[in-house]
Amino acid sequence: NFSAALVSVIASTISMGPNIDRTREAVRTITERVEAAGLGDQVKFGLVAYRSNIEASPGLDYVSKIYADPATTKDGADFLAKIQDLQPATVSSARFSEDAFGGVVDAIDHIDWDGFGGRYVVLITDAGALKGGDPLSSTGLSAEQVRLEVKNRGLALFAMHLKTPSGTQNHAEAEAQYS
C-alpha cells in the first residue's frame, strides 16, 4: 500500500523556455512508464512553477504557482492536462538568480502530502536562488533553512541544476546553494 508523490518545482523564466518543454516530455515518459508498470495508483505527480519577485518585474505574473497537486491528480493524463498551460515568462526577472526557494516552500506548505509515504521534490532550474537576506526573496530563507524545512516535513529534495551558457557567471554560486 506504499504510495509516493513526486513534485517538480521548475523555474518558468525566459531562460528556461526550451527546458520547460524537455521537462514536460521527460515527465510524460515517466508517467507513461509508471502507468505501464501498473503503479499509477501508487505514484502521483505534481508541479509547482516559480519565477521571481513580481514587484521588481510586474510582468512575471507570479512568484510561485501550483499547477498540479499529486493529491488531486487522477493519473498521468490528468497531470499532463494540468501542466499543459505552463509557459515561460515573457519578461526578464530583475536578477539572474530567481525565487527557487519560494517555489520549494510553496511545494512544502501547499501541496497535500498526507497519504504519501514517499515525498519527493525535484527542483529544476538554470539559475541560483535568491539569498535569504535578499529583499526580492519571498521567503527570506537561506539554503540551509530551506533544507531544514524540507527535512522537518519528511520530504526528500533533489536539485537538477542545468548549467546553461546564459548562467555561466552564476554556476558556482548556484551549485553551492543546491549541494
Side-chain angles (χ1 to χ4, degrees):
N1 293 332
F2 184 80
S3 64
L6 186 140
V7 175
S8 299
V9 176
I10 185 170
S12 59
T13 54
I14 288 175
S15 63
M16 281 291 289
N19 298 308
I20 289 172
D21 288 336
R22 288 184 194 129
T23 300
R24 188 180 283 119
E25 284 308 309
V27 171
R28 178 186 319 275
T29 300
I30 293 167
T31 59
E32 288 171 356
R33 287 182 180 170
V34 164
E35 290 182 353
L39 299 172
D41 289 338
Q42 293 174 272
V43 181
K44 299 293 182 183
F45 298 91
L47 188 134
V48 176
Y50 73 88
R51 293 177 175 166
S52 199
N53 187 289
I54 57 175
E55 291 175 13
S57 300
L60 291 177
D61 298 326
Y62 58 84
V63 174
S64 178
K65 180 178 178 180
I66 296 173
Y67 278 83
D69 185 326
T72 59
T73 301
K74 295 176 217 146
D75 55 25
D78 184 37
F79 171 74
L80 292 168
K82 288 179 178 185
I83 69 167
Q84 93 179 41
D85 292 337
L86 173 61
Q87 297 295 323
T90 57
V91 300
S92 294
S93 304
R95 301 202 182 106
F96 190 77
S97 288
E98 295 148 353
D99 208 349
F101 297 154
V104 171
V105 168
D106 201 12
I108 294 168
D109 290 343
H110 297 108
I111 293 292
D112 182 3
W113 295 101
D114 294 341
F116 295 106
R119 301 168 179 183
Y120 306 99
V121 177
V122 179
L123 174 65
I124 304 167
T125 185
D126 66 344
L130 294 172
K131 295 178 182 175
D134 192 310
L136 298 183
S137 170
S138 66
T139 66
L141 299 176
S142 68
E144 178 62 18
Q145 290 169 313
V146 171
R147 186 190 69 76
L148 289 172
E149 285 295 314
V150 167
K151 182 180 175 186
N152 288 339
R153 302 291 177 93
L155 305 172
L157 175 64
F158 303 92
M160 186 180 297
H161 176 215
L162 308 175
K163 293 183 176 180
T164 59
S166 62
T168 302
Q169 299 297 317
N170 184 253
H171 288 171
E173 179 181 324
E175 186 173 341
Q177 288 176 312
Y178 300 139
S179 51

